């Protein structure tokens, strides 16, 4: 997994991570045609995260295309301190990802694709479990779908008031 940092605007500093690179071969009448696809995750470590799949005939171009696509498709994630507000289950296709908040100092307990998403959006303490599928594309989509379900927890004002 490759990590780079770049600036996109006056105060937006993004972290980019290449999760997987796949070599794809298309067999035609004239022979085999090689191309590459790169799964890229981009985030600002302040709750914004995006991912994309870039495809090209060379690895560098596939990564570049993936980064530009991912920057355009960033999403906001609600964080609570260094973790998430509540437990959530994200589903996409056969992939399911369970995301649980963790106490301070636990770290990121996750597989590669889920770890890339969590590090990019600024989550420092989380427990995760990938269920059924280990396909990186579907696991990332399930993780983002789960993070989009997060709601900020509001405290009841009646709890703080003395009787």
């Amino acid at each position: 997994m490759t990590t780079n940092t770049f600036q996109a605007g006056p105060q937006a500093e993004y972290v980019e991570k290449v999760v997987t690179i796949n070599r794809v071969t298309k067999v035609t009448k004239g022979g085999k045609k090689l191309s590459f696809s790169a799964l890229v995750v981009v985030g600002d470590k302040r709750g914004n995260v995006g991912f994309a799949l870039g495809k090209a005939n060379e690895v560098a171009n596939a990564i570049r295309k993936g980064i530009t696509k991912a920057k355009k498709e960033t999403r906001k994630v609600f964080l609570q301190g260094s973790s998430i507000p509540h437990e959530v289950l994200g589903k996409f296709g056969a992939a399911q990802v369970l995301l649980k908040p963790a106490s301070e100092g636990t770290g990121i307990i996750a597989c590669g694709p889920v770890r890339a998403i969590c590090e990019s959006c600024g989550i420092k303490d989380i427990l995760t479990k990938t269920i059924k599928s280990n396909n990186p594309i579907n696991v990332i989509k399930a993780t983002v779908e789960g993070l989009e379900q997060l709601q900020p927890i509001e405290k009841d004002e009646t709890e703080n008031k003395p009787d």
Side-chain angles (χ1 to χ4, degrees):
M1 202 174 336
T2 309
T3 305
N4 291 327
T5 306
F6 60 92
Q7 293 247 340
Q11 295 179 342
E13 185 175 315
Y14 287 95
V15 173
E16 62 188 45
K17 295 180 183 285
V18 178
V19 179
T20 58
I21 297 173
N22 290 332
R23 188 181 77 179
V24 181
T25 306
K26 180 180 181 182
V27 180
T28 62
K29 184 172 68 173
K32 295 178 182 177
K33 183 174 183 196
L34 287 177
S35 64
F36 296 91
S37 65
L39 182 60
V40 180
V41 174
V42 170
D44 65 353
K45 294 198 174 203
R46 285 186 228 111
N48 293 315
V49 68
F51 70 96
L53 190 66
K55 299 176 182 180
N57 290 333
E58 296 178 12
V59 176
N61 290 340
I63 293 171
R64 184 181 44 77
K65 284 182 181 180
I67 290 169
T68 55
K69 260 179 153 177
K71 284 194 290 186
K72 291 177 186 175
E73 298 177 7
T74 58
R75 298 174 170 104
K76 180 72 178 157
V77 175
F78 290 109
L79 303 177
Q80 184 175 13
S82 63
S83 189
I84 57 176
H86 55 85
E87 185 176 320
V88 69
L89 180 69
K91 297 179 184 179
F92 184 86
Q96 295 181 2
V97 178
L98 177 66
L99 304 168
K100 284 180 160 186
S103 60
E104 190 83 20
T106 303
I108 299 174
I109 311 297
C111 65
V114 179
R115 177 179 294 274
I117 290 282
C118 292
E119 287 176 350
S120 296
C121 71
I123 298 172
K124 294 185 181 91
D125 301 303
I126 191 167
L127 301 170
T128 67
K129 177 66 180 165
T130 305
I131 305 166
K132 288 189 179 180
S133 175
N134 61 358
N135 178 345
I137 298 170
N138 288 346
V139 168
I140 282 187
K141 288 181 179 180
T143 304
V144 170
E145 195 270 332
L147 290 174
E148 285 177 343
Q149 294 176 18
L150 292 175
Q151 299 292 327
I153 294 179
E154 299 174 8
K155 294 182 180 178
D156 285 340
E157 293 179 16
T158 56
E159 291 179 6
N160 297 337
K161 291 183 180 178
D163 289 334

